[in-house]
């Protein structure tokens, strides 16, 4: 029912910037939280940032002050502006949406396929 497609990944140098986009389609409840997660090779997927439908944001400590999450509700798109990138930011970045439904368990999670971000000289 809900699909998420990430884009904007690529290869950038340390200290550079990159902007990721995630376009959502399907029937999405207006009460929702969208977020970004990342997974490096051989490591567990970790949370990066989230943003609610009302614009409240939260960030993981490693990206605070460097990354900014935003969204366009009309276009059903969430963005991740990444500045001052470090080699340790290298990972596949995944888009997520959690939206409210009226029956138990009262929410649903959907994931995109991911986009590769590589920080290297």
């Amino acid at each position: 029912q809900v699909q998420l497609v990430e884009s904007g990944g690529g290869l950038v140098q340390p200290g550079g910037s990159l902007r990721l986009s995630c376009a959502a389609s399907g029937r999405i409840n207006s009460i929702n939280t969208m977020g970004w997660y990342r997974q490096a090779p051989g490591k567990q997927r970790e949370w990066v940032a989230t943003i609610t439908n009302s614009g409240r944001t939260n960030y993981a400590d490693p990206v605070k002050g460097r990354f900014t999450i935003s969204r366009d509700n009309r276009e059903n798109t969430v963005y991740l502006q990444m500045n001052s990138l470090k080699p340790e930011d290298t990972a596949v970045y995944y888009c997520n949406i959690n939206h409210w439904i009226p029956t138990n368990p009262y929410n649903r999670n959907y994931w995109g396929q991911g986009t590769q971000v590589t920080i290297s000289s």
Side-chain angles (χ1 to χ4, degrees):
Q1 290 286 344
V2 178
Q3 294 182 325
L4 301 171
V5 180
E6 302 96 336
S7 63
L11 174 64
V12 296
Q13 295 182 331
S17 297
L18 203 61
R19 184 176 176 86
L20 305 182
S21 299
C22 174
S25 62
R27 191 166 184 175
I28 302 170
N29 193 298
S30 60
I31 304 174
N32 67 77
T33 297
M34 300 186 75
W36 290 95
Y37 296 72
R38 66 187 183 185
Q39 186 169 21
K43 296 184 178 180
Q44 186 175 347
R45 183 178 298 184
E46 65 177 358
W47 166 65
V48 175
T50 50
I51 183 168
T52 69
N53 55 275
S54 62
R56 178 175 56 83
T57 60
N58 286 288
Y59 298 92
D61 287 340
V63 307
K64 287 182 178 178
R66 299 189 298 121
F67 291 10
T68 301
I69 188 170
S70 60
R71 63 187 293 165
D72 183 335
N73 290 337
R74 187 180 67 84
E75 298 294 331
N76 295 312
T77 302
V78 64
Y79 305 94
L80 186 67
Q81 178 66 47
M82 304 183 292
N83 299 326
S84 302
L85 285 163
K86 305 174 181 179
E88 51 263 45
D89 294 319
T90 296
V92 176
Y93 284 70
Y94 296 91
C95 178
N96 166 269
I97 184 168
N98 180 298
H99 76 150
W100 182 87
I101 56 175
T103 58
N104 188 56
Y106 305 110
N107 63 57
R108 291 285 188 272
N109 276 295
Y110 298 90
W111 296 88
Q113 294 299 309
T115 184
Q116 178 70 50
V117 172
T118 302
I119 315 303
S120 177
S121 298

